[in-house]
Every structure is written in C-alpha cells, then in structure tokens.
C-alpha cells in the first residue's frame, strides 16, 4: 500500500536496525484519514462475505479494527490484556509473550462474543514474531470458530512471525512489509 | 440519544444498583454501526470548528474516538496506561485512581502530540467518578492546550463525576445519563 509506505518513510522514526516508531500516526496519535484508507485496503484484500467478526487485541489494534469494520459491516471484538485478573470461567484465555517487554500477558475474550459459527478476520497494527496473533488464533480455536485471514498494517519481514503463519496456510496480508532498516533507511519487501 | 438508550435497555446487563455491563456492544464486542451514530451525535453536540484533536484513554475509548474523529476531521491521541514504565521525560503524566479496581494507574501522552495550540475534545465510553477525565484534563493543562468539551457515551448520573465537571464550567455532553438502577430497571435522567 503506497500511501502507507510513504507515510512510514516520511514520518516513521527508526531506532537501530530493527525498530520503527510510528506512534505519530498509528499507535499513539492516530491519523484517522489514513486509517480509512487502510480499512478500505483490508476490505479489498479480504473480499469474502463469510466474515462475521473482526478480532483484534488492545490497545492499538482497536482503532484500526473499528475503522476497518465499517467496510465489512461486522462487529469488532477486542481481546483484553491481563485477563488473569478477571473472575469467572466464561472466557477464552491465551498467554502472549512480548519480546519487546520480556513479559507474558494473558489475553482473554468472553465466550459470549466468539462462537463456532464465527468466521473471523484478525486485524492488528504490527507483526514481528507474531506472538499476539498466535494468542488470538489460540482463542479462535478454543471457540471452534474459523479464521478467514490475518490483516496486519506493518509487518517486520526480517522477523519470523509472518512467514511462519503463511507456512501454516493462513492468508496473511500485510499492507507494508519492512524488509530491512539500513542505516536509518527503511527498505520495503 | 434514543438509539443508545434503547440499546442499553435491550442489551445492557445490570448488576445490583450501580453497575451496567455494556460489553456486548460498547467495550468488548463493539457495534460499529452504533459507534457511527454516536460519532455523528458527538459532532452535532460539539459543532465548533476550533477542535484540533480528540483525546481519549486506552483501551475502550479508542474505537469510539476513532469513529467519531471521522466526523470532525481531526486526529485522535490516546493516553497510554502504565506510563511510569516508560523511559524519558518527553511525556505528560497523570495519576488516575480507579474505584472499580481500587488501584492507581499512571497515564501518559507524548509531548509531541499535544501542544499549547491544540483545542481538545475529550471522548470516553463511561463516566462515573470522572477520575479518568480528570487525568486527561491534567495532561491537557500541562500541555497548555484548550478544552473544547467532554463527550461521554454513558454517564452514571448517580455518581458525582459529570456534575462536578459541569460545575467547573466544562461542556460535558453525555449521550445517555443513567439516573438510577432500580431492581434491574434502568432509569435515564
């Protein structure tokens, strides 16, 4: 998606050879016009009418998922972090390890909002090692729901998450794939 | 807002005399069609062309703020929780006490995304004691920005947050104000 790649080049800030900060338009301040274009592009790449729900994870996935959902005509469900704090067993849970933070978080989705009848599109802002998406897939499997695809705004192509999921047969669509960061210059794949 | 009140009555679940769960359409599963109507209603209630930014707080405010922002043509900034973990001093911070959880969280907004030139509309899903909004106001004051208004989807009118802010002169617009919960029946104010 050219518009997104331009935005990353113009505004993104690289740190070393593996970090790109995009919190000026994607995950702290949010450029909603750009999000609309991202939402339309996800719809173009996932044209299936079988999709019944968009699943994401708090916090920065929520805005992207909600804007995109307008073009799909389906509700959004977001997995909550820190689900271990919640009481009750009416919840699907999965552990997600964050390489960035070096910690494991339990995420959860109420059993009321994901069922075996659902055809789910996963949407998230970033994919590196893919651990968050693995957690969401785990939850979808617990629910017996179907996975229609995985839509990612920015994939770090030099980390293994995306290709590992593709090799499992999932339809992973990343709108910008960063192949490498070379001396502050971002190279797309 | 009649559509919202109907939805609360039809789908909301009351617990005792002071809790209404709306996580089936607002803060876990999200009815995006309803969010669009909520966004339009916020625009109707805050018609000012001076607004430059919508400020909210993770996680459940983000979807509402992003959908609403489409009708204002401005970016969203969301305050992050757990800001004390972040390094650096390029951040406005405020402590927010949660009566529900009995804990204090530090929220933060990067100084890059809120300046003295900004005219800010605060948007959030719920207001009870108003502590989250107080934290956001604290951050706006640190930035020297102006407050154009406070838009809340559901206000618990039997708790003091909304009226305390109105008595300070803020333009607080709540789309549904719950006056009381009487034997499972929700009474709007």
């Amino acid at each position: 998606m050219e518009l997104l790649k331009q935005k990353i080049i113009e505004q993104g800030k690289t740190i070393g050879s593996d970090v790109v900060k995009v919190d000026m338009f994607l995950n702290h301040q949010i450029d909603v016009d750009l999000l609309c274009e991202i939402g339309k592009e996800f719809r173009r790449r996932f044209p299936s009418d079988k999709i019944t729900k968009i699943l994401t994870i708090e916090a920065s996935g929520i805005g992207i998922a909600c804007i995109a959902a307008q073009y799909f005509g389906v509700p959004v469900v977001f997995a909550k972090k820190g689900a271990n704090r919640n009481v009750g067993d009416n919840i699907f849970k999965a552990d997600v390890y964050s390489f960035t933070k070096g910690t494991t978080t339990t995420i959860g989705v109420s059993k009321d909002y994901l069922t075996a009848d659902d055809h789910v599109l996963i949407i998230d802002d970033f994919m590196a090692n893919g651990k968050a998406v693995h957690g969401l897939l785990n939850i979808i499997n617990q629910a017996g729901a179907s996975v229609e695809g995985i839509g990612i705004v920015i994939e770090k192509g030099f980390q293994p998450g995306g290709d590992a999921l593709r090799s499992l047969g999932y339809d992973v669509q990343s709108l910008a794939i960063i192949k490498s960061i070379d001396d502050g210059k971002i190279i797309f794949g």
Side-chain angles (χ1 to χ4, degrees), chain A residues 45-117:
Chain A
R45 296 192 184 208
F46 297 106
S48 168
D49 287 335
K50 289 202 287 182
I51 294 165
T52 59
K53 215 156 265 183
I54 292 178
L55 180 66
T56 189
I57 183 168
E58 69 175 29
S60 41
I62 298 174
I64 301 159
C66 283
I67 295 285
Q70 298 177 116
Y71 305 102
F72 289 84
V74 301
V76 168
V77 173
F78 66 88
K80 298 191 177 194
K81 290 180 180 169
N84 47 341
R85 289 196 306 262
N86 291 337
V87 198
D89 58 359
N90 190 38
I91 189 163
F92 300 119
K93 294 180 193 172
D95 287 336
V96 174
Y97 179 74
S98 164
F99 283 88
T100 317
K101 295 181 184 164
T103 55
T104 297
T105 306
T106 303
I107 62 169
V109 171
S110 166
K111 292 181 183 176
D112 293 336
Y113 310 131
L114 206 58
T115 74
D117 293 331

Coordinates of all heavy atoms in Angstrom, one line a residue, chain A residues 45-117:
Chain A
R45 N -8.5 -6.7 0.1 CA -7.7 -7.9 0.2 C -8.5 -9.1 0.8 O -8.0 -10.2 0.6 CB -6.4 -7.6 1.0 CG -5.5 -6.6 0.3 CD -4.2 -6.5 1.0 NE -3.3 -5.5 0.4 CZ -2.0 -5.6 0.4 NH1 -1.4 -6.7 0.9 NH2 -1.2 -4.7 -0.1
F46 N -9.5 -8.7 1.5 CA -10.3 -9.8 2.1 C -11.8 -9.6 1.7 O -12.6 -9.1 2.5 CB -10.2 -9.8 3.7 CG -8.8 -10.1 4.2 CD1 -8.1 -9.0 4.7 CD2 -8.3 -11.3 4.2 CE1 -6.8 -9.3 5.3 CE2 -7.0 -11.6 4.7 CZ -6.3 -10.5 5.2
P47 N -12.1 -9.9 0.5 CA -13.4 -9.6 -0.1 C -14.5 -10.6 0.4 O -15.7 -10.4 0.1 CB -13.2 -9.7 -1.6 CG -12.1 -10.6 -1.8 CD -11.2 -10.5 -0.6
S48 N -14.1 -11.6 1.1 CA -15.1 -12.7 1.5 C -16.3 -12.1 2.2 O -16.2 -11.3 3.1 CB -14.4 -13.8 2.3 OG -15.4 -14.6 2.9
D49 N -17.5 -12.6 1.8 CA -18.7 -12.3 2.5 C -19.0 -13.2 3.7 O -20.0 -13.0 4.4 CB -19.9 -12.3 1.5 CG -19.9 -11.1 0.6 OD1 -19.3 -10.1 0.9 OD2 -20.4 -11.3 -0.5
K50 N -18.1 -14.1 3.9 CA -18.3 -15.0 5.0 C -17.9 -14.4 6.4 O -18.3 -14.9 7.4 CB -17.5 -16.3 4.8 CG -18.1 -17.2 3.7 CD -17.7 -18.7 3.8 CE -16.3 -18.9 3.4 NZ -15.9 -20.3 3.5
I51 N -17.1 -13.4 6.3 CA -16.5 -12.8 7.6 C -17.7 -12.3 8.4 O -18.5 -11.5 8.0 CB -15.5 -11.7 7.2 CG1 -14.3 -12.3 6.5 CG2 -15.1 -10.9 8.5 CD1 -13.4 -11.2 5.8
T52 N -17.7 -12.7 9.7 CA -18.7 -12.3 10.6 C -18.2 -11.4 11.7 O -19.0 -10.8 12.4 CB -19.4 -13.5 11.3 OG1 -18.4 -14.2 12.0 CG2 -20.1 -14.5 10.3
K53 N -16.9 -11.4 11.9 CA -16.4 -10.6 13.0 C -14.9 -10.3 12.8 O -14.2 -11.0 12.2 CB -16.4 -11.5 14.3 CG -16.8 -10.8 15.5 CD -17.4 -11.7 16.6 CE -18.9 -11.7 16.6 NZ -19.6 -12.5 17.6
I54 N -14.5 -9.1 13.3 CA -13.1 -8.7 13.3 C -12.6 -8.8 14.7 O -13.2 -8.3 15.6 CB -12.9 -7.3 12.7 CG1 -13.2 -7.3 11.2 CG2 -11.5 -6.8 13.0 CD1 -13.1 -5.9 10.5
L55 N -11.5 -9.6 14.8 CA -10.9 -9.8 16.2 C -9.6 -9.0 16.2 O -8.7 -9.2 15.3 CB -10.7 -11.3 16.4 CG -10.1 -11.6 17.8 CD1 -11.0 -11.3 19.0 CD2 -9.8 -13.1 17.8
T56 N -9.3 -8.3 17.3 CA -8.1 -7.6 17.5 C -7.7 -7.7 19.0 O -8.3 -8.4 19.7 CB -8.1 -6.2 17.0 OG1 -6.8 -5.6 17.0 CG2 -9.0 -5.3 17.8
I57 N -6.6 -6.9 19.3 CA -6.1 -7.0 20.7 C -5.9 -5.6 21.2 O -5.5 -4.7 20.4 CB -4.9 -7.9 20.8 CG1 -4.3 -8.1 22.2 CG2 -3.8 -7.4 19.8 CD1 -3.3 -9.2 22.3
E58 N -6.2 -5.3 22.4 CA -6.0 -3.9 22.9 C -4.5 -3.6 23.0 O -3.7 -4.6 23.2 CB -6.7 -3.7 24.3 CG -6.1 -4.5 25.4 CD -6.7 -4.1 26.7 OE1 -7.9 -3.8 26.8 OE2 -6.0 -4.2 27.7
A59 N -4.1 -2.4 22.9 CA -4.9 -1.2 22.7 C -4.8 -0.8 21.2 O -5.8 -0.4 20.7 CB -4.4 -0.1 23.6
S60 N -3.7 -0.8 20.6 CA -3.5 0.0 19.4 C -4.2 -0.7 18.2 O -4.5 -0.1 17.2 CB -2.1 0.2 19.0 OG -1.3 -0.9 19.3
G61 N -4.6 -2.0 18.3 CA -5.4 -2.6 17.3 C -6.8 -2.1 17.2 O -7.5 -2.2 16.1
I62 N -7.4 -1.5 18.3 CA -8.8 -1.3 18.3 C -9.3 -0.2 17.3 O -10.3 -0.4 16.6 CB -9.2 -0.8 19.8 CG1 -8.9 -2.0 20.8 CG2 -10.7 -0.5 19.8 CD1 -9.1 -1.6 22.2
G63 N -8.5 0.9 17.2 CA -8.9 1.9 16.3 C -8.9 1.4 14.9 O -9.9 1.7 14.1
I64 N -7.9 0.7 14.5 CA -7.7 0.2 13.1 C -8.9 -0.8 12.8 O -9.5 -0.7 11.8 CB -6.4 -0.6 13.0 CG1 -5.2 0.4 13.3 CG2 -6.2 -1.2 11.6 CD1 -3.9 -0.3 13.7
A65 N -9.2 -1.7 13.8 CA -10.2 -2.7 13.6 C -11.6 -2.0 13.5 O -12.4 -2.4 12.6 CB -10.2 -3.7 14.8
C66 N -11.9 -1.0 14.3 CA -13.2 -0.3 14.2 C -13.4 0.4 12.9 O -14.4 0.3 12.3 CB -13.3 0.7 15.4 SG -13.7 -0.2 17.0
I67 N -12.3 1.1 12.5 CA -12.5 1.9 11.2 C -12.6 0.8 10.1 O -13.5 1.0 9.2 CB -11.2 2.8 11.0 CG1 -11.2 3.9 12.0 CG2 -11.3 3.3 9.5 CD1 -12.1 5.0 11.9
A68 N -11.8 -0.2 10.1 CA -11.9 -1.2 9.0 C -13.3 -1.9 9.0 O -13.9 -2.2 8.0 CB -10.8 -2.3 9.2
A69 N -13.8 -2.1 10.2 CA -15.1 -2.9 10.3 C -16.3 -2.2 9.6 O -17.2 -2.8 9.1 CB -15.5 -3.0 11.8
Q70 N -16.2 -0.9 9.4 CA -17.2 -0.1 8.7 C -17.3 -0.6 7.2 O -18.4 -0.6 6.6 CB -16.8 1.4 8.6 CG -16.8 2.0 10.0 CD -16.4 3.5 9.9 OE1 -17.1 4.4 10.2 NE2 -15.1 3.7 9.4
Y71 N -16.2 -1.1 6.7 CA -16.2 -1.6 5.3 C -16.6 -3.0 5.2 O -16.7 -3.6 4.1 CB -14.8 -1.3 4.6 CG -14.4 0.2 4.8 CD1 -13.5 0.6 5.7 CD2 -15.0 1.1 4.0 CE1 -13.2 1.9 5.9 CE2 -14.7 2.5 4.1 CZ -13.8 2.9 5.1 OH -13.5 4.2 5.2
F72 N -16.6 -3.7 6.3 CA -17.0 -5.1 6.3 C -18.5 -5.3 6.8 O -19.1 -6.3 6.6 CB -16.1 -5.9 7.2 CG -14.7 -6.1 6.7 CD1 -13.7 -5.1 6.8 CD2 -14.4 -7.3 6.0 CE1 -12.4 -5.3 6.3 CE2 -13.1 -7.4 5.4 CZ -12.1 -6.5 5.6
G73 N -19.0 -4.3 7.6 CA -20.3 -4.4 8.1 C -20.4 -5.5 9.2 O -21.5 -6.1 9.3
V74 N -19.4 -5.6 10.0 CA -19.4 -6.6 11.0 C -18.9 -6.0 12.3 O -18.2 -5.0 12.3 CB -18.5 -7.9 10.7 CG1 -18.9 -8.5 9.4 CG2 -17.0 -7.5 10.6
P75 N -19.2 -6.6 13.5 CA -18.7 -6.0 14.7 C -17.3 -6.4 15.0 O -16.7 -7.3 14.4 CB -19.6 -6.7 15.8 CG -20.2 -7.9 15.2 CD -20.2 -7.7 13.7
V76 N -16.7 -5.6 15.9 CA -15.3 -5.9 16.3 C -15.4 -6.5 17.7 O -16.2 -6.2 18.5 CB -14.5 -4.5 16.4 CG1 -13.2 -4.7 17.2 CG2 -14.3 -3.9 15.1
V77 N -14.5 -7.4 18.0 CA -14.2 -7.9 19.3 C -12.7 -7.7 19.6 O -11.9 -8.0 18.8 CB -14.6 -9.4 19.5 CG1 -14.2 -9.9 20.9 CG2 -16.1 -9.6 19.3
F78 N -12.4 -7.1 20.8 CA -11.0 -7.0 21.1 C -10.7 -7.8 22.3 O -11.4 -7.9 23.3 CB -10.6 -5.5 21.3 CG -11.1 -4.8 22.4 CD1 -10.5 -4.8 23.7 CD2 -12.3 -4.0 22.2 CE1 -11.0 -4.0 24.7 CE2 -12.8 -3.2 23.3 CZ -12.2 -3.2 24.5
A79 N -9.6 -8.6 22.2 CA -9.0 -9.3 23.3 C -8.5 -8.4 24.4 O -7.8 -7.4 24.0 CB -8.0 -10.3 22.9
K80 N -8.8 -8.6 25.6 CA -8.4 -7.8 26.7 C -7.1 -8.4 27.3 O -7.0 -9.6 27.4 CB -9.5 -7.7 27.8 CG -10.7 -7.1 27.3 CD -11.7 -6.7 28.4 CE -12.9 -6.0 27.9 NZ -13.7 -5.4 28.9
K81 N -6.2 -7.5 27.7 CA -5.0 -7.9 28.3 C -5.2 -8.0 29.8 O -6.1 -7.4 30.4 CB -3.9 -6.9 28.1 CG -3.4 -7.0 26.6 CD -2.3 -6.0 26.3 CE -1.9 -6.0 24.9 NZ -1.0 -4.9 24.5
G82 N -4.4 -8.9 30.5 CA -4.5 -9.0 31.9 C -5.7 -9.8 32.3 O -6.3 -9.6 33.4
A83 N -6.1 -10.7 31.5 CA -7.4 -11.5 31.7 C -7.3 -12.3 32.9 O -8.3 -12.7 33.5 CB -7.7 -12.3 30.5
N84 N -6.1 -12.7 33.4 CA -6.0 -13.5 34.6 C -6.6 -12.8 35.8 O -6.9 -13.4 36.8 CB -4.5 -13.8 34.8 CG -3.6 -12.6 34.7 OD1 -3.9 -11.6 34.1 ND2 -2.4 -12.7 35.2
R85 N -6.7 -11.5 35.7 CA -7.3 -10.8 36.9 C -8.8 -11.0 36.9 O -9.4 -10.7 38.0 CB -7.0 -9.2 36.7 CG -5.5 -8.8 36.9 CD -5.5 -7.3 37.2 NE -6.1 -6.6 36.1 CZ -5.5 -6.1 35.1 NH1 -4.2 -6.2 35.0 NH2 -6.2 -5.4 34.1
N86 N -9.4 -11.3 35.8 CA -10.8 -11.4 35.8 C -11.3 -12.7 36.5 O -10.7 -13.8 36.4 CB -11.3 -11.4 34.4 CG -11.2 -10.0 33.8 OD1 -11.1 -9.1 34.5 ND2 -11.1 -10.0 32.4
V87 N -12.4 -12.6 37.1 CA -13.0 -13.8 37.7 C -13.9 -14.5 36.7 O -14.2 -14.0 35.7 CB -13.9 -13.3 38.9 CG1 -14.2 -14.5 39.9 CG2 -13.3 -12.2 39.7
G88 N -14.2 -15.8 37.0 CA -15.2 -16.5 36.2 C -14.5 -17.3 35.1 O -13.3 -17.0 34.7
D89 N -15.2 -18.3 34.6 CA -14.6 -19.1 33.5 C -15.3 -18.9 32.2 O -15.1 -19.7 31.3 CB -14.6 -20.6 34.0 CG -16.1 -21.1 34.3 OD1 -17.0 -20.2 34.1 OD2 -16.2 -22.2 34.6
N90 N -16.1 -17.9 32.0 CA -16.8 -17.6 30.8 C -15.9 -16.9 29.8 O -16.3 -16.0 29.1 CB -18.1 -16.8 31.0 CG -18.9 -16.8 29.8 OD1 -19.0 -17.7 29.0 ND2 -19.5 -15.6 29.5
I91 N -14.6 -17.3 29.8 CA -13.7 -16.5 29.0 C -12.6 -17.5 28.3 O -12.2 -18.5 28.9 CB -13.0 -15.5 29.9 CG1 -12.1 -14.5 29.1 CG2 -12.2 -16.1 31.0 CD1 -11.8 -13.2 29.9
F92 N -12.3 -17.2 27.1 CA -11.2 -17.9 26.4 C -9.9 -17.2 26.7 O -9.9 -16.0 26.5 CB -11.4 -18.0 24.9 CG -12.7 -18.7 24.4 CD1 -13.6 -18.0 23.7 CD2 -12.9 -20.0 24.7 CE1 -14.8 -18.6 23.3 CE2 -14.1 -20.6 24.2 CZ -15.0 -19.9 23.5
K93 N -8.9 -17.9 27.1 CA -7.7 -17.2 27.5 C -6.5 -17.8 26.7 O -6.5 -18.9 26.3 CB -7.3 -17.5 29.0 CG -8.3 -16.8 30.0 CD -7.9 -17.1 31.4 CE -9.0 -16.8 32.4 NZ -8.7 -17.2 33.7
A94 N -5.5 -16.9 26.5 CA -4.2 -17.4 25.9 C -3.1 -16.5 26.5 O -3.3 -15.4 26.8 CB -4.3 -17.3 24.4
D95 N -1.9 -17.1 26.6 CA -0.7 -16.4 27.0 C 0.0 -15.8 25.8 O 0.2 -16.5 24.8 CB 0.2 -17.3 27.8 CG -0.3 -17.6 29.2 OD1 -1.2 -16.7 29.7 OD2 0.0 -18.6 29.8
V96 N 0.4 -14.6 25.9 CA 1.2 -13.9 24.8 C 2.5 -13.4 25.4 O 2.5 -12.6 26.3 CB 0.4 -12.8 24.2 CG1 1.2 -12.0 23.2 CG2 -0.9 -13.3 23.6
Y97 N 3.6 -13.9 24.8 CA 4.9 -13.4 25.2 C 5.3 -12.2 24.4 O 5.2 -12.2 23.2 CB 5.9 -14.5 25.1 CG 7.3 -14.0 25.5 CD1 7.6 -13.9 26.8 CD2 8.3 -13.8 24.5 CE1 8.9 -13.4 27.2 CE2 9.6 -13.3 24.9 CZ 9.9 -13.1 26.3 OH 11.1 -12.7 26.6
S98 N 5.7 -11.1 25.0 CA 6.2 -9.9 24.3 C 7.7 -9.9 24.4 O 8.3 -9.8 25.4 CB 5.6 -8.7 25.0 OG 6.4 -7.5 24.5
F99 N 8.3 -10.0 23.2 CA 9.8 -9.9 23.1 C 10.3 -8.5 23.5 O 11.3 -8.3 24.1 CB 10.3 -10.2 21.7 CG 10.3 -11.7 21.4 CD1 9.2 -12.3 20.9 CD2 11.4 -12.5 21.6 CE1 9.2 -13.7 20.6 CE2 11.4 -13.8 21.3 CZ 10.3 -14.4 20.8
T100 N 9.4 -7.5 23.1 CA 9.8 -6.1 23.4 C 9.9 -5.8 24.9 O 10.8 -5.2 25.4 CB 8.7 -5.1 22.8 OG1 8.4 -5.6 21.5 CG2 9.2 -3.7 22.8
K101 N 8.9 -6.4 25.6 CA 8.8 -6.1 27.1 C 9.4 -7.2 27.9 O 9.7 -7.0 29.1 CB 7.3 -5.9 27.5 CG 6.7 -4.7 26.9 CD 5.3 -4.5 27.4 CE 4.6 -3.3 26.7 NZ 3.1 -3.4 26.8
G102 N 9.6 -8.4 27.3 CA 10.2 -9.5 28.0 C 9.2 -10.1 29.1 O 9.6 -10.7 30.0
T103 N 7.9 -9.9 28.8 CA 6.9 -10.4 29.8 C 5.8 -11.2 29.1 O 5.6 -11.0 27.9 CB 6.2 -9.2 30.5 OG1 5.7 -8.3 29.5 CG2 7.2 -8.4 31.4
T104 N 5.1 -12.0 29.8 CA 4.0 -12.7 29.3 C 2.7 -12.1 29.8 O 2.6 -11.8 31.0 CB 4.1 -14.2 29.7 OG1 5.2 -14.8 29.1 CG2 2.8 -15.0 29.2
T105 N 1.7 -11.9 28.9 CA 0.4 -11.3 29.3 C -0.6 -12.4 29.0 O -0.5 -13.0 27.9 CB 0.1 -10.1 28.5 OG1 1.2 -9.2 28.7 CG2 -1.1 -9.4 29.0
T106 N -1.6 -12.5 29.8 CA -2.7 -13.3 29.5 C -3.8 -12.5 28.8 O -4.2 -11.4 29.3 CB -3.3 -14.0 30.7 OG1 -2.3 -14.8 31.4 CG2 -4.5 -15.0 30.3
I107 N -4.2 -12.9 27.6 CA -5.3 -12.2 26.9 C -6.6 -13.0 27.0 O -6.5 -14.2 27.1 CB -5.0 -11.8 25.5 CG1 -4.8 -13.1 24.6 CG2 -3.7 -10.9 25.4 CD1 -4.7 -12.8 23.1
G108 N -7.7 -12.3 26.9 CA -9.0 -13.0 27.1 C -10.1 -12.5 26.2 O -10.1 -11.3 26.0
V109 N -11.0 -13.3 25.8 CA -12.2 -13.0 25.1 C -13.4 -13.7 25.7 O -13.3 -14.9 25.9 CB -12.1 -13.3 23.6 CG1 -13.4 -13.1 22.8 CG2 -11.0 -12.5 22.9
S110 N -14.4 -13.0 26.0 CA -15.6 -13.6 26.5 C -16.2 -14.6 25.6 O -16.2 -14.4 24.4 CB -16.7 -12.5 26.8 OG -17.9 -13.1 27.0
K111 N -16.6 -15.7 26.1 CA -17.2 -16.8 25.3 C -18.5 -16.4 24.7 O -19.0 -17.0 23.7 CB -17.5 -18.1 26.2 CG -16.1 -18.7 26.6 CD -16.4 -20.0 27.4 CE -15.0 -20.6 27.9 NZ -15.2 -21.7 28.8
D112 N -19.1 -15.3 25.2 CA -20.3 -14.8 24.6 C -20.1 -14.2 23.2 O -21.1 -14.0 22.5 CB -20.9 -13.7 25.5 CG -21.4 -14.2 26.8 OD1 -21.7 -15.4 26.9 OD2 -21.5 -13.5 27.8
Y113 N -18.9 -13.7 22.9 CA -18.7 -12.9 21.7 C -17.9 -13.6 20.6 O -17.5 -13.0 19.6 CB -18.1 -11.6 22.1 CG -18.8 -10.9 23.2 CD1 -18.2 -10.4 24.3 CD2 -20.2 -10.9 23.1 CE1 -18.9 -9.8 25.3 CE2 -21.0 -10.3 24.2 CZ -20.3 -9.8 25.3 OH -21.1 -9.3 26.3
L114 N -17.6 -14.9 20.8 CA -16.9 -15.7 19.8 C -17.4 -17.1 19.9 O -17.3 -17.8 20.9 CB -15.4 -15.6 20.1 CG -14.4 -15.8 18.9 CD1 -14.7 -14.8 17.8 CD2 -13.0 -15.7 19.4
T115 N -18.0 -17.6 18.8 CA -18.6 -18.9 18.8 C -18.2 -19.7 17.6 O -17.6 -19.2 16.7 CB -20.2 -18.8 18.8 OG1 -20.6 -18.5 17.4 CG2 -20.7 -17.8 19.8
A116 N -18.6 -21.0 17.5 CA -18.2 -21.9 16.4 C -18.8 -21.4 15.1 O -18.3 -21.8 14.0 CB -18.7 -23.3 16.7
D117 N -19.8 -20.5 15.1 CA -20.4 -20.0 13.9 C -19.6 -18.9 13.3 O -19.9 -18.5 12.2 CB -21.8 -19.5 14.2 CG -22.8 -20.7 14.5 OD1 -22.5 -21.8 14.1 OD2 -23.7 -20.5 15.3

